[in-house]
Structures are given as structure tokens and as C-alpha cells.
Amino acid sequence: MASPQYWTNREPALEWFATIPFGMNPEGMSAWYYQGDGLKLWEEAYGAFNLVPRPIPTSAPQMAGWFRKKINTIADYKGLRMRIPNLGGKVVARAGGTTVLTPAADIYANLERGVIDASEWVGPHDDMVLGLHKTARYYYYPGWHEPGTVNDFGFNKKAYEALPVDLRRTLDHAVAAAQTYSLTNYHTKNAIALERLRTEFKGKVEIIQLPTSVLHELKKLAADVVREESEKTLMAKKVHASFTKFQALVGPWDHVAEGAYHQLVAGTA
């Protein structure tokens, strides 16, 4: 079990199977895998490494991160030292920031001492486990850099294909069950952790939405970064085309079916 993002130096296309900045939410990612050609393409990409991938959405959507100072305009990213990996990190660098690949165990100390100015990790639950709520005041959302993060199980291809068909299907369904349990687990734990931040740490932590103007600028930069990444290999180009087409399909439905509804329920419409 790992993240496809770990292997992108071997094949850039793997980035899309994990998540990309301003990509699909967890439901959209799952739909791409099982109703689109996402899983088929992933199997093709992993086949080169003798692996059979199976998706397990775990920790999405994420938060934008913890910041020691407020972000009011895109210019506030200039000179910012932020712990943020992968394509999200490249976007922050385009905005003028400096990305730092800090291991999880070191984030707390580096943020507390001011070695870095900001850091993303996962979401409220995992962030509180690391104690990040004690290191920086401003907790920003949404997690534009990882909106639909997916991890995976990678099975040895020869061993997988040697299984009888019924056991292969059983394994596939077991993974799909783990996918559901994992997603609902994080959904619940993040909700509980967010409530804790709002009550137990009121006055010490501010949960703030990134300004719309900042998100628009980040989205423009992300489009360039993602496009450039997609041009690195033929596989990346093919995966990017599939991902983009599917996101264009489900995006309007997400907006009509849930966007306005969630705003209304939250009292922000």
C-alpha cells in the first residue's frame, strides 16, 4: 500500500491516479476508476512495473494547510517557505514560494520554530495527531492541491493473474470494501476534529477560506503546471486527456446536485 505520487519520477502519469491540483473530489475519482477508463489506464501504467493497482481513497478532500501569517493575495506566497510536495508544490513555487519536503515527523518542530512558514499535511484529524494546531494560527481551506487524494494497493501482477477467477473477484471486492470503509472513516474523523478545533481551540486557531481571488490565481498556475507535466510522456498525455474529459463530464453535475445545496446548509448561500 502506498501513494502513486511516490513513483512519479518513474512515470509522471501516476500523478493523476493519486490526485492533481483542482482535480476531482473523492466521488469523482471513484467514478473515473469504475465508470470511466481510469482503472484501465492505471492497470496499463502499472503493468510496466509488474503491478496490478486497486484504488483506496483515504484522506480526501484535504485542507490547504497551516500558515503562520494570513494569505490575502497571491503575492503573499512570494518568499513563503511551505512544506508541500508534488504538483501542488510546483504551483506554490510558480507563485513565488519555496517548497520544502519536510518528513511528517519533522513538520511540527519546523513549523513551530519558523523554519517553514506554512505546511499542508492531510486534514483536521491527521493534522491534530501531529499537533499542527499548536504551531500555526491560520488553518486554510479548501485543499486545492489534493481535492481527491487516492492511495492504492499494488499487487504483484503475475501472482494476481495466477489466482483463480473467483479469488481475483473476491480480492477486488475486498479492496472496494476497504475503499468505502476508509473514505467514511476519514469523513467522520475529520468532522469530529474540525468541531474540536472550533470549540476547544477557539481563539487560538482560525479556520479560514482562501480568498476567491487567490484560488483563481492558483488555478491558473496549476493549469500550466499540469499541462507541462502531461507532456512528459505519452502515458501522461493519455491519462491527462481521460481525466480532463471525465472531470468536464461530472463537474457540472456536482455543481447542480450538491454545490448550492451544501452552501445553503452551511448557511453561506
Side-chain angles (χ1 to χ4, degrees), residues 15-20 23-36 38-39 42 55 57 60 147-150 179 243 246 250 254:
E15 195 87 48
W16 279 260
F17 300 119
T19 188
I20 61 169
M24 290 183 279
N25 64 11
E27 188 174 10
M29 292 293 287
S30 294
W32 179 50
Y33 288 128
Y34 292 115
Q35 307 303 323
L39 186 57
W42 200 357
T149 315
V150 173
Q179 178 185 29
F243 188 103
F246 200 87
V250 300
D254 287 340

Side-chain angles (χ1 to χ4, degrees), residues 123-186:
H125 178 264
D126 281 359
D127 291 3
M128 291 187 76
V129 170
L130 289 188
L132 301 187
H133 56 296
K134 301 176 182 178
T135 64
R137 183 179 184 88
Y138 307 109
Y139 196 26
Y140 277 100
Y141 68 92
W144 57 270
H145 62 300
E146 292 197 37
T149 315
V150 173
N151 287 345
D152 70 85
F153 285 128
F155 300 109
N156 179 280
K157 192 171 187 293
K158 292 180 180 178
Y160 178 87
E161 293 178 347
L163 291 173
V165 174
D166 62 330
L167 291 185
R168 264 185 276 163
R169 297 295 173 263
T170 300
L171 182 60
D172 289 346
H173 281 284
V175 171
Q179 178 185 29
T180 300
Y181 293 138
S182 178
L183 190 58
T184 56
N185 178 53
Y186 263 100

Side-chain angles (χ1 to χ4, degrees), residues 15-82:
E15 195 87 48
W16 279 260
F17 300 119
T19 188
I20 61 169
F22 296 96
M24 290 183 279
N25 64 11
E27 188 174 10
M29 292 293 287
S30 294
W32 179 50
Y33 288 128
Y34 292 115
Q35 307 303 323
D37 57 6
L39 186 57
K40 180 181 177 181
L41 288 170
W42 200 357
E43 288 176 337
E44 180 182 344
Y46 266 32
F49 306 103
N50 191 38
L51 290 171
V52 174
R54 290 294 179 264
I56 45 170
T58 52
S59 54
Q62 297 199 5
M63 293 285 279
W66 296 89
F67 292 71
R68 292 167 61 90
K69 66 176 184 178
K70 281 191 173 183
I71 299 294
N72 297 310
T73 71
I74 194 67
D76 290 325
Y77 276 95
K78 291 183 178 179
L80 188 81
R81 296 163 299 176
M82 184 172 185

Side-chain angles (χ1 to χ4, degrees), residues 14 20 46 49 61 92 149 155 199 202 215 229 248 269:
L14 303 185
I20 61 169
Y46 266 32
F49 306 103
V92 168
T149 315
F155 300 109
T199 54
K202 186 177 181 179
L215 288 170
E229 198 74 9

Side-chain angles (χ1 to χ4, degrees), residues 5 8 11-23 84-95 99 101 120 144-147 218 221-230 232 236 240 243:
Q5 294 173 324
T8 54
E11 171 52 70
L14 303 185
E15 195 87 48
W16 279 260
F17 300 119
T19 188
I20 61 169
F22 296 96
I84 179 171
N86 305 307
L87 297 187
K90 292 184 178 181
V91 174
V92 168
R94 291 285 177 93
T99 59
L101 299 181
E120 61 78 54
W144 57 270
H145 62 300
E146 292 197 37
L218 290 171
L221 295 172
D224 291 335
V225 168
V226 171
R227 185 181 62 255
E228 290 171 11
E229 198 74 9
S230 73
K232 289 185 175 180
H240 174 62
F243 188 103

